Amino acid sequence: MRRYLRVLFVCTLLVFCSLLYVFNQLVSSLESADHQERAPRTRAADPGLSERAQDDRSAPRDPVELAVVACGSRLEETLTMLKSAVLFSHRHLHFHIFAEDDLHAGFRQALESWPQRFRSRLDYSIYPINFPSDNAREWKRLFKPCASQRLFLPLILKQVDSVLYVDTDVLFLRPAEDVWSFLSRFNGSQLAAMAPEHEEPRIGWYNRFARHPYYGKTGVNSGVMLMNMTRIRDKHFKNDLAAVDLKWADLLMPLLHKYKLNITWGDQDLLNIIFHHNPESLLLIECHWNYRPDHCIYGSNCISAEQNGVYVLHGNRGVYHDDKQPAFRAVYDAIQQFPFDADPVRGLLVPLEEKLKSADHTYCGRSRLVFTKRLRESVTELQKDRDSSRRAEV
């Protein structure tokens, strides 16, 4: 009898273990299916206006931390970028402005002169250009004046968790928090988000000319770079410099010394090298988040901009200040010249649309609708906000 009881106990135990194993496998398969279902949403048709991004706009949260580096003659261009951010954003903004000492007074004077309705939406901090003292000269002259300062933001802004870095020649055509919302979509390994350098490999720089490793098929552009700096500070990065993974602070100088004779685009090339060895750390976003002349100069090749319109305009190649790409210059001039309290439809959108019609002799001008598709929505929201403020004052 005892033998039968023992056999029965063993059989019961085996059945219980089998059921437990089947249950665990079922849970794992469901979790995997859910992850696979969610993964493609990062490159959905209109990722910036997901439900999550809309929640990020409306919920009371910490400010969007926006960083920029300005040297030389970039004061006015930088102020126009900051103006585009504060015009269209609904969240509070904190500007982290890194600038040469002789530009500090100009930034303060301009920002303090903005109308109170917009000034109340932002805080700002102005910092001197700050490189490691023993190699400051080398870093400052790496590419454009001071551009490599962005590499050191995680080491300087030690109390800031995340930051959206943009070049001075960037313009927001939609709220900055739309880009900021990608932070909530980082997976466990991602610590930065950038757009590809090129969509069309036949005109790509990195895949045709680079003499160093780079990310993906065509590299990435660092003019718009969202960073979780806590993760950057904590991570040990794979590299081709040492047998062990290195922290960010220990990686930058050895990387420069190894590749300084082979890099053309300075700090952007160093970022490409880093993410080549750590591709799991980067979230690749679509080109309408960093729309540049390369996307239309030889014909339109940014499909997401054709579908969604441009969210962030990047006027590299100096196109805001010459006549080579009049469509880009028209957008810059419209925002730069727009008086804060003017009617945004009649004072910004309508003149811009008229100006863009005269750019039809260029490929970018023929794609003029991508410049205004989302900007029209931003201007409409700005006008509603202006009207509400005026009614409240009465």
Side-chain angles (χ1 to χ4, degrees):
M1 185 67 180
R2 289 181 179 176
R3 181 180 302 171
Y4 292 127
L5 290 174
R6 289 174 183 169
V7 171
L8 180 62
F9 175 76
V10 170
C11 292
T12 303
L13 184 62
L14 289 173
V15 170
F16 176 77
C17 291
S18 299
L19 290 173
L20 184 62
Y21 173 78
V22 170
F23 177 76
N24 285 335
Q25 291 294 104
L26 179 61
V27 170
S28 298
S29 64
L30 289 174
E31 288 179 347
S32 175
D34 181 62
H35 175 74
Q36 292 176 1
E37 180 184 356
R38 284 184 291 174
R41 296 178 189 171
T42 302
R43 298 181 64 87
D46 194 357
L49 294 181
S50 66
E51 292 180 5
R52 195 166 202 169
Q54 292 173 2
D55 290 343
D56 282 348
R57 283 197 205 169
S58 58
R61 302 192 179 207
D62 293 336
V64 173
E65 308 278 354
L66 182 66
V68 65
V69 179
C71 288
S73 60
R74 299 297 181 114
L75 174 63
E76 190 60 42
E77 184 176 84
T78 307
L79 286 169
T80 304
M81 180 277 291
L82 297 174
K83 181 181 181 180
S84 72
V86 78
L87 276 175
F88 303 131
S89 290
H90 307 284
R91 289 269 295 273
H92 199 80
L93 302 171
H94 188 148
F95 298 153
H96 297 274
I97 303 169
F98 289 80
E100 291 177 312
D101 294 346
D102 59 348
L103 298 180
H104 290 197
F107 277 113
R108 289 194 183 92
Q109 182 178 0
L111 294 173
E112 294 296 339
S113 71
W114 287 1
Q116 180 60 24
R117 182 163 69 91
F118 295 96
R119 180 66 184 83
S120 63
R121 298 180 183 178
L122 66 95
D123 297 303
Y124 66 90
S125 303
I126 301 178
Y127 311 85
I129 299 300
N130 187 1
F131 292 115
S133 57
D134 51 341
N135 302 99
R137 187 182 183 89
E138 192 171 7
W139 282 113
K140 188 171 183 178
R141 297 186 175 184
L142 179 60
F143 182 46
K144 293 180 181 178
C146 308
S148 56
Q149 180 75 82
R150 80 186 87 180
L151 297 176
F152 298 92
L153 296 182
L155 308 179
I156 298 171
L157 301 176
K158 295 180 180 179
Q159 305 305 315
V160 179
D161 176 71
S162 298
V163 75
L164 172 58
Y165 167 86
V166 294
D167 283 348
T168 62
D169 52 7
V170 159
L171 292 171
F172 291 94
L173 307 188
R174 291 295 296 158
E177 56 265 31
D178 285 358
V179 190
W180 190 255
S181 70
F182 279 109
L183 286 170
S184 64
R185 281 177 270 172
F186 281 6
N187 63 26
S189 64
Q190 290 166 342
L191 49 77
M194 286 187 276
E197 173 69 13
H198 285 283
E199 297 295 307
E200 174 51 68
R202 287 176 295 179
I203 62 173
W205 164 267
Y206 286 109
N207 55 290
R208 293 188 299 158
F209 304 118
R211 295 179 294 160
H212 58 78
Y214 56 89
Y215 177 89
K217 295 182 179 180
T218 60
V220 286
N221 183 279
S222 60
V224 178
M225 180 168 59
L226 183 64
M227 294 183 283
N228 183 318
M229 299 198 298
T230 299
R231 291 188 178 185
I232 290 176
R233 287 186 287 262
D234 291 344
K235 182 178 174 60
H236 288 78
F237 291 85
K238 297 186 288 291
N239 61 87
D240 57 3
L241 304 168
V244 297
D245 297 348
L246 296 174
K247 297 291 286 288
W248 189 263
D250 302 320
L251 179 64
L252 297 178
M253 184 52 66
L255 201 63
L256 176 61
H257 284 164
K258 177 172 182 176
Y259 287 105
K260 64 182 178 180
L261 298 180
N262 294 326
I263 59 178
T264 302
W265 308 113
D267 50 299
Q268 178 174 290
D269 291 347
L270 298 182
L271 288 165
N272 267 279
I273 295 167
I274 292 171
F275 288 112
H276 169 84
H277 294 293
N278 300 270
E280 75 287 349
S281 297
L282 184 68
L283 174 65
L284 196 67
I285 58 178
E286 293 181 281
C287 49
H288 64 285
W289 298 103
N290 186 353
Y291 189 86
R292 306 182 305 283
D294 305 84
H295 294 125
C296 56
I297 193 170
Y298 302 116
S300 180
N301 60 60
C302 178
I303 296 175
S304 68
E306 295 173 4
Q307 295 172 340
N308 306 313
V310 174
Y311 281 61
V312 182
L313 190 70
H314 186 179
N316 64 340
R317 304 177 183 268
V319 293
Y320 292 152
H321 311 294
D322 60 31
D323 296 320
K324 294 179 180 178
Q325 294 301 328
F328 281 80
R329 180 165 185 172
V331 179
Y332 177 84
D333 288 345
I335 294 175
Q336 193 269 329
Q337 296 168 10
F338 171 67
F340 271 102
D341 287 324
D343 182 300
V345 173
R346 288 181 292 182
L348 195 162
L349 184 63
V350 172
L352 172 60
E353 289 177 331
E354 287 299 314
K355 193 72 175 291
L356 286 172
K357 292 178 183 178
S358 64
D360 275 351
H361 61 286
T362 65
Y363 282 114
C364 292
R366 293 170 196 167
S367 300
R368 66 177 182 271
L369 292 180
V370 305
F371 295 92
T372 56
K373 184 173 184 178
R374 290 301 178 186
L375 181 61
R376 176 177 288 276
E377 294 180 3
S378 300
V379 166
T380 301
E381 293 169 7
L382 178 60
Q383 188 176 46
K384 290 179 181 178
D385 182 53
R386 173 177 175 267
D387 294 342
S388 297
S389 297
R390 290 197 166 189
R391 285 194 298 269
E393 293 172 359
V394 173

